[in-house]
Amino acid sequence: MKTTEQDSAYSSLELMSSGQILEGINREDHRVADAVAKAIPAIEKLVEGILERGGRIFYMGAGTSGRLGVVDASEIPPTYGVTDKFIGIIAGGDKAFRTAVEGAEDSPELGIVDLMAFNPTPQDTLVGISASGTAPYVIGAVRKAREIGMFTGCICCNEDSVLAAESEIPIVAVTGPEFVTGSTRMKAGSATKLILNMISTSVMILSGHVQGNKMVDMQLTNRKLVDRGTRMIMEKTGMTDYGTARSLLLEHGSVRAAVESINADK
């Protein structure tokens, strides 16, 4: 039996107090970071391969796994100012982000169709996401990706899965049985989110979109980010006038461009 489907270590959950439930969930969550830590060597190999290829990164999954991929991909443009680099694809389409689409993950052919709609090339990378490691939708896409020369990796939470065997770089974080038996949106989902954060963040840092520890290409989508960007400019240039720094930020559209303009005028 898959580890993620094994019986919970806890029983009679309905008889627990709210505090006991919360403590039990938290106790299990502590296991997640350790499981992810063991997968770092594989994550590093995937990141290095992505950087070598230089193309787009596709996340493909179904259900919770698909939603996590879409969320991570959607956060890259506002955070780093990079569009069309990370692409999240979920079985069943955008509708499945809010509502379960019956049978969407059971078709390997649909995974192939959804991937090929983006005209992938050998420079691109596909990261298949499936907690169980058995979703046909994802496996079909990974097989097709390898056939056309894409670089492939996966994120799953069971050892010896079909998806891991089909992927060049399998990332396996064994988080164990869930607090609620089979509810992989819990520990498996948390591990998946952590790994996605690690992949996209490290790729963006190593691609030059962070200077020091600052997001110099972030989009200015709200007052908080405009204020953050203004203070970043002041810190990086020694400028003391907040209003001038803010005006330059809004004029140039990013911290990087504003700082380059200021330095060019010195």
Side-chain angles (χ1 to χ4, degrees):
M1 180 184 292
K2 295 187 288 287
T3 305
T4 53
E5 294 296 324
Q6 289 178 0
D7 206 35
S8 172
Y10 305 80
S11 60
S12 302
L13 301 186
E14 74 278 11
L15 301 180
M16 290 183 176
S17 67
S18 59
Q20 289 172 323
I21 291 171
L22 298 173
E23 288 172 0
I25 293 172
N26 182 249
R27 190 178 300 116
E28 290 302 307
D29 284 345
H30 275 283
R31 304 178 189 272
V32 174
D34 288 340
V36 172
K38 293 176 182 177
I40 287 177
I43 301 171
E44 181 181 11
K45 288 180 182 178
L46 181 65
V47 168
E48 291 296 327
I50 289 171
L51 293 168
E52 288 174 9
R53 294 291 179 112
R56 298 170 294 177
I57 301 94
F58 292 90
Y59 294 144
M60 291 191 69
T64 297
S65 295
R67 294 182 190 102
L68 290 170
V70 172
V71 166
D72 193 79
S74 68
E75 290 173 345
I76 300 305
T79 307
Y80 298 107
V82 178
T83 58
D84 301 324
K85 180 70 173 179
F86 285 82
I87 300 169
I89 304 173
I90 182 171
D94 289 347
K95 175 185 177 182
F97 196 81
R98 294 181 178 275
T99 307
V101 176
E102 185 176 354
E105 74 171 69
D106 296 331
S107 170
E109 293 79 16
L110 183 57
I112 294 170
V113 169
D114 287 353
L115 173 63
M116 296 307 294
F118 289 87
N119 298 313
T121 74
Q123 285 70 50
D124 296 329
T125 298
L126 173 60
V127 181
I129 313 171
S130 170
S132 67
T134 60
Y137 175 87
V138 180
I139 293 169
V142 169
R143 286 175 175 162
K144 183 63 177 180
R146 294 194 69 174
E147 179 184 312
I148 63 177
M150 293 176 70
F151 184 50
T152 60
C154 73
I155 302 171
C156 55
C157 297
N158 284 299
E159 293 180 312
D160 303 321
S161 70
V162 176
L163 179 59
E166 295 285 350
S167 304
E168 292 167 83
I169 307 294
I171 298 170
V172 184
V174 182
T175 50
E178 299 287 359
F179 183 75
V180 176
T181 299
S183 182
T184 52
R185 74 185 188 91
M186 302 183 76
K187 288 192 299 182
S190 296
T192 298
K193 174 60 175 168
L194 291 175
I195 293 168
L196 290 168
N197 281 345
M198 294 167 80
I199 293 169
S200 57
T201 301
S202 56
V203 168
M204 288 293 95
I205 291 172
L206 295 171
S207 297
H209 298 287
V210 172
Q211 294 179 357
N213 56 17
K214 302 296 195 297
M215 300 174 288
V216 293
D217 295 322
M218 66 182 181
Q219 293 180 354
L220 308 175
T221 55
N222 57 49
R223 292 179 182 175
K224 178 189 73 174
L225 296 181
V226 170
D227 177 68
R228 180 191 296 167
T230 300
R231 297 183 186 281
M232 287 165 61
I233 291 171
M234 295 173 69
E235 178 184 325
K236 291 178 75 66
T237 65
M239 184 176 290
T240 58
D241 186 79
Y242 181 94
T244 300
R246 185 177 187 277
S247 295
L248 286 168
L249 174 64
L250 295 176
E251 176 186 347
H252 293 283
S254 74
V255 173
R256 181 197 298 274
V259 170
E260 288 176 350
S261 173
I262 293 167
N263 289 337
D265 291 339
K266 288 183 178 180

